[in-house]
Amino acid sequence: MADPVIFALALLFLLQTKHLFADFYLQTPRMLADRGRYIHFGRLQHAGLHAVGSLIAMVLLGVPIVLALVVALVEWVVHFHVDWGKGRWSDHTGHGPTQAGYWRAFGVDQAIHQWTYLVMVWAVLP
């Protein structure tokens, strides 16, 4: 894809679509349980699901495989830690879906993931 603007928009579209499915349709009970614990196999799986989806999106758009693997690995680590931070915060505050603090934490979590995608697109621009 020669036009960097079209490439960036297409990759952002794919990453955001992947995010929708990985965060809201494909999470298992294991991925959702005990979110505040650091060593958490479900969170590793969840972040890995995001990384694999991003890897596929990047490769589909022609990002060299080694670069795509490195970027996906970094996303895995970042996603794991962002979700862990939200889990710790949620455990600390005890906020639930009927409280504004829950939605603020949810919004910050989702914004950080979207900002991560902007950095990822920048990192792989042709």
Side-chain angles (χ1 to χ4, degrees):
M1 194 170 293
D3 185 344
V5 173
I6 298 298
F7 171 85
L9 292 174
L11 184 53
L12 276 173
F13 173 79
L14 290 176
L15 292 173
Q16 290 172 335
T17 302
K18 175 270 309 183
H19 187 88
L20 171 67
F21 283 94
D23 255 20
F24 299 102
Y25 291 94
L26 300 176
Q27 287 204 64
T28 65
R30 172 186 271 175
M31 293 175 183
L32 293 167
D34 298 324
R35 305 282 294 197
R37 276 192 305 125
Y38 186 72
I39 303 300
H40 185 267
F41 188 69
R43 190 176 325 97
L44 286 169
Q45 288 177 314
H46 174 69
L49 177 64
H50 276 278
V52 168
S54 294
L55 177 65
I56 292 168
M58 289 184 281
V59 170
L60 283 174
L61 291 182
V63 175
I65 190 74
V66 173
L67 178 58
L69 279 168
V70 169
V71 171
L73 179 63
V74 171
E75 181 196 10
W76 187 25
V77 171
V78 169
H79 199 103
F80 176 90
H81 285 92
V82 169
D83 284 2
W84 171 67
K86 181 178 167 247
R88 292 269 302 175
W89 177 255
S90 296
D91 287 352
H92 172 73
T93 63
H95 290 145
T98 61
Q99 297 168 297
Y102 172 90
W103 293 104
R104 285 191 292 268
F106 179 80
V108 169
D109 169 81
Q110 293 299 302
I112 292 170
H113 292 314
Q114 294 302 315
W115 298 333
T116 301
Y117 298 145
L118 292 174
V119 172
M120 290 167 62
V121 169
W122 173 81
V124 300
L125 272 174

